[in-house]
Amino acid sequence: MNFSSKLLEDAVNEFSKLPGVGQKTALRLVLHLLNKEKEEVNLFGNTLIRLKAEIKNCNICRNISDHVICEICSSNKRDKETICVVEDTRDVMAIENTGQYFGVYHVLGGLISPMDGVGPADLFIDGLVDRVAAGGVKEIILALSPNMEGDTTLFYLYKRLKEFNVPITTIARGIAFGGELEYTDEITLGRSIITRVPYETAMMK
Amino acid sequence: MNFSSKLLEDAVNEFSKLPGVGQKTALRLVLHLLNKEKEEVNLFGNTLIRLKAEIKNCNICRNISDHVICEICSSNKRDKETICVVEDTRDVMAIENTGQYFGVYHVLGGLISPMDGVGPADLFIDGLVDRVAAGGVKEIILALSPNMEGDTTLFYLYKRLKEFNVPITTIARGIAFGGELEYTDEITLGRSIITRVPYETAMMK
């Protein structure tokens, strides 16, 4: 692209580094910002700078937080004896949005993926083992995405955690609510037959 | 969404103000930035702040520029006697990318659109009239998008400019190169028959 201004070009380049943002989209976003008031653009810029400078990861669960200990870990309304292990902050937000979970979390910061060069040492797994080893945990819920990396991580965590004799569960896999049986893929449908549950368990809760 | 951090929420809100960016996309972009080095995020933020603080509009053509007079207007390689009138900076970039135009530009900053409350006074039209009135202009090319707003603006500009007896042209409309005749809409195809050009004109240039 032929830019009429170096400042414009710099801003477009910064935006186009973001995932899913190409040069044309970046230009559209920058021209949108140029039409805004100076205060609004300054707020945008300063919010990003403050974000990176001041944000923390909770010392206990590694969730993104404004404080050294996050709100969930420091709340006395949450059940500290149940730990839900997730990949990242988005999963914490998704589970919190369900309003169905009242325990605490443990954010791994990724999944084991040899293809991408991510091994167990790159994740916050030792921290989880330490939490369980310290005692007082009654259940560990592994809530990882049902894909290759998720299953690899699940297996690794199970091996590391089973010695503590704490019940380890995973979130249920099967046909999504509102889904059509005939359009469900064979693996999901096949597994959901194998892991069928008593009617009372499935419907009465 | 339930944010675990006010800083995170602020940053997501800033991103989701951008056109075409929803909350989920904004969250993805912010988490991407959080994984970057502090220097990179600071550069992003400061680039935006500098952009708004330092960018200028060329005093002659109103194109976005780093200087009071833009590079095109101050270049002695450009033909100052031909003015190409466009809606905004993106159109200047698009025409510059063709490598087919060597005159100067005039950026209106929008199109007349009564529906959106944009009248002639909101655009940089008086500046264009002044440039033409000052003399030395041999052709005015109106390069506006062929839609309702573009045609309204075209008509208004024609009325304002015709008294100066400078040739006024518009960019050719018709079937796009590489396009299929049978898939072209009726209006374009109909108009392209009415405004047919001699073979020599169309092919020899």
Side-chain angles (χ1 to χ4, degrees):
Chain A
M1 274 202 242
N2 273 317
F3 289 96
S4 59
S5 150
K6 182 78 175 58
L7 291 160
L8 182 69
E9 187 173 358
D10 289 345
V12 169
N13 284 340
E14 286 301 321
F15 267 106
S16 57
K17 283 179 197 164
L18 296 172
V21 179
Q23 282 235 311
K24 286 215 168 181
T25 306
L27 178 61
R28 195 162 54 89
L29 298 178
V30 172
L31 292 179
H32 172 87
L33 284 179
L34 269 181
N35 283 330
K36 293 279 152 198
E37 293 298 315
K38 194 174 172 180
E39 288 69 35
E40 285 184 64
V41 179
N42 284 352
L43 180 66
F44 193 147
N46 285 322
T47 302
L48 294 184
I49 294 169
R50 270 195 59 200
L51 170 81
K52 189 66 190 173
E54 297 179 22
I55 214 157
K56 293 169 186 69
N57 287 97
C58 170
N59 270 357
I60 297 171
C61 74
R62 280 282 169 97
N63 192 17
I64 289 172
S65 168
D66 293 341
H67 311 286
V68 183
I69 306 293
C70 77
E71 280 180 32
I72 293 172
C73 285
S74 58
S75 163
N76 53 23
K77 287 180 184 149
R78 308 292 296 226
D79 166 20
K80 305 277 167 25
E81 298 181 330
T82 309
I83 299 178
C84 181
V85 180
V86 295
E87 179 185 346
D88 68 15
T89 298
R90 269 176 290 189
D91 300 326
V92 174
M93 289 170 63
I95 294 173
E96 284 297 290
N97 281 336
T98 69
Q100 297 291 321
Y101 181 68
F102 308 100
V104 291
Y105 293 92
H106 190 90
V107 179
L108 295 176
L111 295 174
I112 296 172
S113 171
M115 291 277 282
D116 303 318
V118 181
D122 301 313
L123 306 176
F124 189 45
I125 291 176
D126 288 341
L128 175 63
V129 175
D130 292 345
R131 279 175 85 177
V132 178
V137 179
K138 294 228 172 103
E139 183 179 355
I140 304 161
I141 304 171
L142 303 178
L144 304 179
S145 294
N147 52 27
M148 181 81 92
E149 291 80 16
D151 284 350
T152 308
T153 313
L154 223 52
F155 182 65
Y156 180 85
L157 290 176
Y158 178 74
K159 279 209 306 180
R160 289 284 302 268
L161 295 170
K162 67 179 175 189
E163 62 173 300
F164 299 106
N165 284 321
V166 174
I168 300 172
T169 57
T170 72
I171 51 170
R173 298 171 179 196
I175 296 162
F177 282 82
E180 298 278 347
L181 213 74
E182 60 188 292
Y183 298 129
T184 308
D185 66 288
E186 294 88 352
I187 297 174
T188 302
L189 189 55
R191 296 284 308 165
S192 78
I193 291 171
I194 295 169
T195 60
R196 61 193 177 277
V197 286
Y199 180 79
E200 289 83 359
T201 315
M203 295 298 172
M204 298 302 160
K205 281 198 177 177
Chain B
M1 276 201 241
N2 274 318
F3 291 96
S4 58
S5 148
K6 182 78 176 59
L7 291 162
L8 183 69
E9 187 174 359
D10 288 346
V12 169
N13 283 341
E14 287 300 320
F15 266 106
S16 57
K17 283 180 197 163
L18 296 173
V21 180
Q23 283 236 312
K24 286 215 168 181
T25 306
L27 178 61
R28 194 161 54 88
L29 297 179
V30 172
L31 292 179
H32 171 86
L33 284 179
L34 269 180
N35 283 331
K36 294 279 152 197
E37 292 298 315
K38 194 174 173 179
E39 288 70 33
E40 285 184 66
V41 179
N42 284 351
L43 181 66
F44 193 146
N46 285 322
T47 302
L48 294 184
I49 294 169
R50 270 195 61 200
L51 170 81
K52 190 65 189 174
E54 297 179 23
I55 214 159
K56 293 170 186 69
N57 287 98
C58 170
N59 270 358
I60 298 172
C61 73
R62 281 284 168 95
N63 192 17
I64 288 172
S65 168
D66 293 340
H67 311 287
V68 182
I69 306 293
C70 76
E71 280 180 30
I72 293 172
C73 285
S74 58
S75 163
N76 53 24
K77 287 182 185 147
R78 307 293 295 226
D79 166 18
K80 304 278 168 26
E81 297 179 331
T82 309
I83 299 177
C84 180
V85 180
V86 295
E87 181 183 345
D88 67 16
T89 298
R90 269 175 289 189
D91 301 326
V92 173
M93 290 170 63
I95 294 173
E96 285 297 291
N97 281 336
T98 67
Q100 297 291 321
Y101 180 69
F102 309 100
V104 290
Y105 292 92
H106 190 90
V107 179
L108 295 175
L111 295 173
I112 296 172
S113 172
M115 291 277 284
D116 304 316
V118 181
D122 301 313
L123 307 177
F124 189 45
I125 291 176
D126 289 339
L128 175 63
V129 174
D130 291 345
R131 278 175 85 177
V132 178
V137 179
K138 293 226 172 108
E139 183 179 356
I140 305 161
I141 304 171
L142 304 178
L144 304 179
S145 294
N147 53 27
M148 180 81 92
E149 290 80 16
D151 284 351
T152 308
T153 313
L154 222 54
F155 182 66
Y156 180 85
L157 290 176
Y158 179 74
K159 279 208 307 180
R160 290 283 303 267
L161 296 171
K162 67 178 178 189
E163 62 172 301
F164 300 106
N165 285 319
V166 174
I168 300 172
T169 56
T170 72
I171 50 170
R173 298 172 181 195
I175 295 162
F177 282 83
E180 298 278 346
L181 213 74
E182 60 189 292
Y183 297 129
T184 308
D185 66 288
E186 294 89 355
I187 296 176
T188 302
L189 190 54
R191 295 286 307 168
S192 77
I193 291 169
I194 295 169
T195 61
R196 61 192 177 275
V197 286
Y199 180 79
E200 289 83 358
T201 316
M203 295 300 172
M204 298 301 161
K205 282 197 175 174

